[in-house]
Amino acid sequence: MSNATDRAYELGFRTVDTEYADRQLPVEGTVPSWLSGALIRNGPGRFEFGGKRATHWFDGLAMLRRYGFADGTVSYTNRFLRTDAYAAADTGHGAAEFATGDDSFRRPLRWLRSLGPPEPTDNATVHVAQLGEHFVALTEAPRRIAFDPVTLETRGEFRWRDDIPEHLATAHLQVDPNREETIGYSTEFGLSPMYHFYRIPNGRAGRRHVATVPAAGPGYVHDCSITESHIVIVETPLRIAMAKALVPWTDGFLDLLEYDEAATTRFIVVDWDTESLAATLETSPFFTFHHVNAYEDDDELVLDLVAFDDDQIVRALTFDALSEDGFAAAPDGRFVRFRLHPGEGRVRRSERYDGGMELPTVPKPVRGRQYRYAYAQATDRKGANGLVKLDVERGTATEWWERGVYVEEPRMVRRPGGTAEDDGVVIATALDTKQERSMLLVFDAETVVERARAPLPHAVPFGFHGRFFPAV
């Protein structure tokens, strides 16, 4: 590994001991005065539990990070979620159940024997969302933790008051700014596994069932897309083999995943006006975590996502793999466009950008609509992660890189009153291995020129996802 890669692993997966409250950050450059609100991100902050270390990035203890913007200033708050997992961490029990092994990972075995769901982890470390007046931290286990959006103090568990089954939940709730609804789905295990789709009206904290669709496997489904009239999930050949929970050496959820190279990848399309299955289409096998965007084009659905040839990316994020080669061991995701024709059952695939990328986002007003620009983490250079802006109409890209700097998930924020799709800024956190600390970066969304950076007082472990809340 290069020295920068060595430092990225050491700093990016090192436990944080200090929590800061409303710490004002020094700003180099200029943060636009119109940028007002907060970027709230989620991710692991602790990797040791009672003398044991987690074995996978996904198994760290949840810590929220808040970056507040007002009148050109930036403030920083970080706080661990005070959950059952947090309370049990010092006893040696892992915070999550993805790969790190201990007795708590026998829960799938108990589920099979009792024919009832186990008590899942409350280590909500993946994403955040606003549900009515509630701000919640999310993971793929069906437990959600409410928190204060200003102080990040834990407010307790958020529970749905409905009977929609969920043994796995989505952490990627999709907000449609046009319909003013939020869309989600859950996975139900059993002899006849199912996917359940639901909708949450804007300003409400309750959900309503939309449709139930049979699952094959079931597959591991991480994200979804919305268009004007449809919801799309991608069921990959990475199957959840619940029968493997009976094997005594099964440690965690990772051991239950099997990639079936002989299986197809399925696109499941739900019509959210008729609240029914519109189509199931199949194509050659591939794996995906994250969608870019989707929209309707006459009789076709255009679905853009980050695709991998297989599930190697999941295994490449174990600490054994990362400690040897850093992120260089992880395959690069590619921007791929699928054109789905539900009426004819046809799927067409095309490569839209040949650079490595992950953690994509598009400007909020064009989500679920035809669009031109997408922003993502650029991943295909050693010793750094960059920022890439894709022009999906022209098939071109503009990139920003700095040696030794590892950019995380970007978020595009439109300038109030702006009319152009890329009129605004892109904000992203990054790890600066040279300075041995993290920082908040602000870019011009049109040119991808850096406008400002605000160094943090410490190095924050690599996180996953976040949202910008202008009203916070």
Side-chain angles (χ1 to χ4, degrees):
M1 289 190 295
S2 67
N3 183 62
T5 305
D6 286 335
R7 297 298 290 151
Y9 174 77
E10 178 187 347
L11 296 169
F13 299 104
R14 185 170 67 187
T15 290
V16 164
D17 297 318
T18 305
E19 294 176 319
Y20 293 91
D22 198 28
R23 174 74 171 256
Q24 294 298 307
L25 301 180
V27 175
E28 304 168 12
T30 302
V31 176
S33 59
W34 58 259
L35 184 59
S36 178
L39 170 66
I40 301 178
R41 285 182 46 76
N42 201 348
R46 176 178 175 179
F47 301 100
E48 286 78 32
F49 312 101
K52 300 178 182 178
R53 180 169 169 81
T55 60
H56 198 284
W57 183 15
F58 296 172
D59 278 341
L61 194 66
M63 185 185 77
L64 299 175
R65 307 97 146 120
R66 181 186 190 275
Y67 304 87
F69 301 90
D71 299 322
T73 66
V74 183
S75 62
Y76 170 68
T77 299
N78 69 302
R79 189 172 179 85
F80 285 96
L81 287 176
R82 267 48 174 192
T83 59
D84 293 343
Y86 180 87
D90 288 334
T91 68
H93 291 286
E97 302 182 5
F98 193 81
T100 307
D102 70 34
D103 291 340
S104 67
F105 301 132
R106 308 302 179 213
R107 290 169 181 162
L109 173 59
R110 295 201 299 272
W111 178 83
L112 286 172
R113 288 177 173 172
S114 65
L115 297 181
E119 182 67 12
T121 179
D122 63 352
N123 184 48
T125 186
V126 178
H127 215 325
V128 295
Q130 183 176 2
L131 304 174
E133 298 179 351
H134 304 275
F135 289 80
V136 297
L138 307 167
T139 185
E140 294 184 314
R143 296 180 71 182
R144 301 154 184 92
I145 305 301
F147 63 89
D148 185 292
V150 176
T151 66
L152 303 185
E153 292 180 358
T154 303
R155 288 181 167 173
E157 186 164 352
F158 175 91
R159 296 180 183 271
W160 299 114
R161 297 179 180 177
D162 58 51
D163 57 358
I164 298 176
E166 51 179 7
H167 296 141
L168 284 182
T170 179
H172 283 275
L173 296 175
Q174 289 295 332
V175 180
D176 184 351
N178 302 288
R179 283 186 179 239
E180 296 188 338
E181 286 188 310
T182 297
I183 295 297
Y185 62 91
S186 65
T187 303
E188 180 185 9
F189 300 145
L191 297 178
S192 300
M194 300 286 179
Y195 302 119
H196 302 281
F197 296 81
Y198 55 85
R199 64 205 309 168
I200 307 164
N202 189 37
R204 303 287 297 276
R207 60 184 180 174
R208 186 168 67 82
H209 178 262
V210 172
T212 293
V213 178
Y220 175 62
V221 181
H222 185 73
D223 201 355
C224 67
S225 282
I226 53 174
T227 69
E228 291 186 48
S229 302
H230 296 89
I231 311 164
V232 184
I233 65 172
V234 180
E235 184 186 63
T236 73
L238 187 59
R239 308 300 197 200
I240 304 170
M242 289 303 299
K244 292 184 67 176
L246 295 170
V247 178
W249 52 84
T250 297
D251 279 337
F253 185 69
L254 182 62
D255 280 353
L256 303 183
L257 298 178
E258 293 180 337
Y259 193 80
D260 185 356
E261 296 180 350
T264 60
T265 290
R266 296 203 307 160
F267 301 93
I268 298 173
V269 182
V270 170
D271 187 314
W272 67 352
D273 290 319
T274 64
E275 298 190 342
S276 62
L277 177 65
T280 300
L281 302 94
E282 299 183 4
T283 191
S284 301
F286 69 90
F287 177 73
T288 184
F289 276 122
H290 301 116
H291 297 202
V292 180
N293 200 18
Y295 62 90
E296 299 179 13
D297 184 14
D298 294 330
D299 294 333
E300 291 185 323
L301 301 180
V302 178
L303 174 63
D304 295 338
L305 47 76
V306 179
F308 298 87
D309 291 339
D310 52 34
D311 69 329
Q312 181 186 347
I313 179 64
V314 181
R315 316 287 170 174
L317 299 179
T318 65
F319 286 155
D320 282 346
L322 290 167
S323 64
E324 291 183 7
D325 298 309
F327 288 112
D332 291 315
R334 304 297 181 187
F335 185 104
V336 177
R337 169 163 290 182
F338 290 92
R339 300 189 72 93
L340 314 178
H341 198 298
E344 299 179 2
R346 186 178 68 243
V347 178
R348 290 187 292 161
R349 171 175 174 158
S350 61
E351 305 285 336
R352 304 293 293 178
Y353 169 63
D354 59 4
M357 60 173 282
E358 248 297 1
L359 304 172
T361 187
V362 299
K364 183 177 179 180
V366 297
R367 290 176 191 162
R369 303 294 185 269
Q370 189 166 357
Y371 72 111
R372 181 170 180 178
Y373 300 114
Y375 302 86
Q377 175 196 65
T379 62
D380 59 349
R381 299 188 188 180
K382 294 182 178 180
N385 282 336
L387 171 69
V388 58
K389 175 187 178 182
L390 302 175
D391 185 329
V392 300
E393 289 184 0
R394 296 183 176 180
T396 59
T398 304
E399 301 179 350
W400 180 95
W401 298 85
E402 185 175 309
R403 185 70 176 175
V405 172
Y406 290 78
V407 177
E408 298 184 275
E409 177 189 61
R411 304 299 296 186
M412 192 276 180
V413 182
R414 179 82 74 90
R415 181 180 63 84
T419 56
E421 187 176 322
D422 57 352
D423 186 353
V425 295
V426 176
I427 52 179
T429 52
L431 174 64
D432 185 343
T433 60
K434 301 183 298 295
Q435 300 297 322
E436 299 188 359
R437 64 175 60 188
S438 298
M439 58 183 171
L440 188 284
L441 296 171
V442 181
F443 300 90
D444 183 277
E446 179 183 4
T447 62
V448 195
V449 171
E450 181 185 332
R451 297 187 58 168
R453 62 176 58 189
L456 273 61
H458 58 179
V460 180
F462 291 123
F464 299 126
H465 301 290
R467 297 184 192 271
F468 182 80
F469 299 99
V472 175

